[in-house]
Amino acid sequence: MGSRDEAQPSVAQDPFAAAAQPLLLPPAAGLVDPSASSPPSPDEDSYSPISYHHGRRPIRDLPALLLFLILSLATFALGIAAVARRNPAASHASSFVYDRSTSSCVLPSSNSFSSSSSSSTFSKDLIWTLVVTLLLAGPIALAVLWLLRHYAKQVVYASIPFFIVIPSFLNVYWFVACAVGHDCRHAFPLAYRIIVLVFVFLLIGIFLWIIVANLHRIELTIHIVRVSATALASNIGLLAVLPLLGIGLLAYFSPIIVFLVFSTWNGRVVPREVEGTGKEYYKCVWKQESWVPAYFAIAIITMIWSAATLMEAKVYLISGTVAQWYFNKEESRPSKSIRSSLRNAFGPSFGTVCFSGMTVGAVRVVRAIVDSGKQGEEARGFINLILKCCANFVLAAIDFVNKFTIIFAAITGEGYCSAAKMTYELLRRNLLSAVFVETVSTRILVGIIFVLSAFYAIAVCAILRGISALGMEMYFVAALAWLLLIVVLGYFVHVLDNVIDTIYVCYAIDRDKGEVCKQVVHEVYVLLPVSRNHGSSVNRSSLIP
């Protein structure tokens, strides 16, 4: 292991000298000694010193908060009115017939029938498999966290070969299984099977090349993941609180869904003349009231905004909690950090969270519209493709900046626009470092959970083969178990990604003030690349073992 002087080379000889400057100071401010006891003077700085705001925070972004509350109240008020004004005839509108004597639609007398169905072996095994998978997902996530905290290097290097082995095995397995199976062999000709086999192996080869080309970044990524796992383990309560927020969102959505269903019951059964029959003929149809489509639009906008707001509230909660851990210079974990972050997220800063949620929701909607756009002729389709690429680039940039904006807001208590300005000034100097932290570590973590989920699916398949009478349905059950586990572990990776980004911002703030709150973080994050011309200075002798 190299010395600390080796990990932080001098300005004159190292291309990373620019990264050692305070992030929010003018370039002329020069290099700040990390051991300095006092921050830069206000005269030298165009911004006030950034730090975690522990005290009482003012209310921010009140217009966004009021708009969100008005929209939510309107959704619930109109929904309650829809339930009160519902027409029970909507449930059996198709049973109405036209009565010529009264020139109206009437409901004839009819008998009701009841049917019952028994659960099959397939559904029973499927339900039990998914329930057991859901119960095991939590302990598996905690085990992954413990492994990443203590054995990150071994886990990463042990998983990398399986990034290639598992897809190759599945590719060969389906090819052989299809060749053996009578139905598949006749439905899928040999030439097509060979083409698919070669194409998949070509994709695996490209993925292998990407891994080999980025091997020099693996060592740095391992230490970044280890530091973030330590931070998450020190705030393990987040893994219990965040799912509860998701349950709260489902509870919030439940009455809205009920309101949407009952809003369709607002109307009446009316006769409509059927044209083209050669004689006067009427049928009974259900006619909704004119305000129902408008209520659907309001309710859907509310649900999209609420879901995006809760997602940003989770990022705010993670960022605020981890920032308190980072800036706490004592060895013990700060008390009530999760509670104070929750109070800020749904208190003074809830307007900022709603603003961020509105931005994220708008980006998601526009991206969905862009991706679903139909292409016409070839020339027009080419133009649409260029416009789609440009739109996706702009949306990705907005998404990227918004993520760091809400992290800044969680740390400083600033409003959305003020936090966005501070975020821009920071990312303008260290954009590539943030991209490195976001992309490489995320891909490594996604690969790890893919490998673990694949091994779990293989184990499920082997168990079902031994204790169940399922045939080919066994593979479908195992695939669903794999999907469920990878979703749960994917959420765990999402939390860990937010921790990594928060630590990066805290590290930047530390350097801006010339302080070192977490020495182990500085020893790792100082090795991040800062420009396209200067790669990472990572080498195994300068990293922490």
Side-chain angles (χ1 to χ4, degrees):
M1 178 180 72
S3 62
R4 182 178 174 181
D5 295 334
E6 294 174 349
Q8 298 179 357
S10 63
V11 178
Q13 299 178 357
D14 191 79
F16 289 87
Q21 293 185 1
L23 297 178
L24 297 182
L25 292 180
L31 180 66
V32 177
D33 185 4
S35 62
S37 58
S38 60
S41 61
D43 296 336
E44 298 177 352
D45 191 26
S46 58
Y47 295 93
S48 58
I50 304 172
S51 60
Y52 185 84
H53 194 286
H54 288 278
R56 185 181 181 86
R57 299 185 175 185
I59 298 177
R60 303 288 189 182
D61 298 300
L62 190 59
L65 173 61
L66 293 178
L67 181 60
F68 178 79
L69 292 178
I70 291 174
L71 198 61
S72 299
L73 291 176
T75 301
F76 277 83
L78 293 175
I80 294 174
V83 174
R85 300 178 69 253
R86 69 185 186 276
N87 186 351
S91 60
H92 41 267
S94 59
S95 301
F96 279 78
V97 295
Y98 180 70
D99 186 5
R100 293 184 177 274
S101 61
T102 59
S103 299
S104 62
C105 294
V106 297
L107 183 66
S109 59
S110 60
N111 298 325
S112 60
F113 301 91
S114 61
S115 61
S116 60
S117 60
S118 58
S119 59
S120 62
T121 303
F122 168 75
S123 61
K124 181 180 178 180
D125 290 341
L126 175 62
I127 293 174
W128 275 108
T129 301
L130 296 181
V131 169
V132 172
T133 301
L134 192 60
L135 294 177
L136 292 178
I140 291 175
L142 294 177
V144 172
L145 179 62
W146 183 82
L147 289 173
L148 292 177
R149 183 182 182 186
H150 297 283
Y151 304 100
K153 184 174 184 178
Q154 292 83 346
V155 171
V156 170
Y157 281 110
S159 301
I160 287 177
F162 290 101
F163 296 173
I164 304 300
V165 172
I166 292 179
S168 301
F169 170 77
L170 294 177
N171 192 28
V172 174
Y173 182 82
W174 82 262
F175 183 82
V176 175
C178 189
V180 173
H182 181 270
D183 295 336
C184 181
R185 185 171 63 250
H186 287 279
F188 205 20
L190 178 61
Y192 292 139
R193 279 180 276 151
I194 294 177
I195 292 175
V196 173
L197 181 73
V198 173
F199 178 74
V200 173
F201 272 125
L202 179 62
L203 294 179
I204 294 174
I206 296 175
F207 187 66
L208 176 61
W209 176 80
I210 294 175
I211 293 176
V212 173
N214 290 274
L215 278 178
H216 64 285
R217 299 182 174 185
I218 299 298
E219 196 74 21
L220 177 56
T221 303
I222 290 172
H223 291 280
I224 292 175
V225 171
R226 179 183 296 168
V227 168
S228 63
T230 301
L232 183 56
S234 300
N235 301 276
I236 197 65
L238 287 172
L239 296 180
V241 175
L242 293 174
L244 293 179
L245 292 179
I247 295 175
L249 180 66
L250 292 178
Y252 174 78
F253 278 172
S254 297
I256 298 180
I257 294 174
V258 173
F259 296 153
L260 286 174
V261 172
F262 278 106
S263 67
T264 61
W265 288 26
N266 282 256
R268 64 185 187 277
V269 181
V270 297
R272 176 179 297 175
E273 185 177 0
V274 179
E275 299 179 356
T277 59
K279 59 180 180 179
E280 187 178 2
Y281 178 73
Y282 291 88
K283 70 175 183 178
C284 295
V285 297
W286 175 257
K287 182 180 180 181
Q288 287 184 347
E289 296 185 1
S290 58
W291 62 270
V292 173
Y295 177 72
F296 260 78
I298 294 175
I300 291 174
I301 292 174
T302 301
M303 294 178 72
I304 294 175
W305 193 357
S306 300
T309 298
L310 182 70
M311 182 175 64
E312 296 304 292
K314 291 180 179 180
V315 176
Y316 190 104
L317 173 60
I318 296 169
S319 303
T321 304
V322 173
Q324 293 182 65
W325 166 84
Y326 182 92
F327 292 113
N328 182 38
K329 297 184 179 180
E330 302 177 359
E331 294 296 332
S332 60
R333 184 176 64 88
S335 60
K336 300 180 181 179
S337 57
I338 297 179
R339 185 183 304 178
S340 64
S341 297
L342 273 173
R343 184 172 59 250
N344 292 329
F346 294 97
S349 296
F350 190 59
T352 304
V353 175
C354 292
F355 200 131
S356 181
M358 179 176 62
T359 304
V360 172
V363 168
R364 297 292 186 271
V365 171
V366 173
R367 180 171 290 158
I369 294 174
V370 170
D371 293 339
S372 62
K374 296 183 178 179
Q375 298 183 357
E377 301 175 356
E378 292 184 1
R380 183 181 177 185
F382 179 73
I383 295 175
N384 287 340
L385 180 61
I386 296 177
L387 295 177
K388 184 181 294 186
C389 293
C390 295
N392 285 330
F393 177 79
V394 173
L395 295 175
I398 295 174
D399 226 355
F400 183 82
V401 175
N402 178 80
K403 178 180 63 176
F404 284 92
T405 298
I406 197 66
I407 293 176
F408 257 102
I411 295 174
T412 63
E414 294 288 337
Y416 187 87
C417 295
S418 176
K421 182 179 179 180
M422 296 168 68
T423 302
Y424 171 76
E425 292 296 329
L426 180 61
L427 297 183
R428 186 178 61 177
R429 293 177 178 264
N430 293 270
L431 176 62
L432 290 178
S433 298
V435 171
F436 179 92
V437 171
E438 180 187 71
T439 56
V440 179
S441 58
T442 301
R443 291 169 184 172
I444 292 293
L445 292 173
V446 169
I448 291 173
I449 67 169
F450 171 78
V451 171
L452 292 177
S453 301
F455 279 125
Y456 179 82
I458 294 173
V460 169
C461 192
I463 293 173
L464 290 176
R465 181 183 292 273
I467 66 174
S468 175
L470 294 176
M472 296 301 294
E473 296 89 351
M474 171 184 61
Y475 298 105
F476 179 72
V477 174
L480 289 181
W482 171 82
L483 181 62
L484 177 60
L485 183 61
I486 206 170
V487 166
V488 176
L489 294 183
Y491 181 75
F492 166 76
V493 169
H494 173 71
V495 173
L496 204 56
D497 274 341
N498 289 327
V499 174
I500 292 174
D501 294 331
T502 302
I503 294 177
Y504 169 75
V505 174
C506 293
Y507 161 75
I509 294 174
D510 240 7
R511 284 175 44 189
D512 181 53
K513 298 189 300 180
E515 297 180 356
V516 179
C517 291
K518 287 288 185 292
Q519 179 65 34
V520 64
V521 174
H522 280 252
E523 291 176 347
V524 173
Y525 277 67
V526 74
L527 301 169
L528 287 170
V530 294
S531 70
R532 293 188 184 274
N533 297 325
H534 300 128
S536 172
S537 60
V538 57
N539 57 75
R540 297 190 180 186
S541 62
S542 63
L543 287 174
I544 308 169

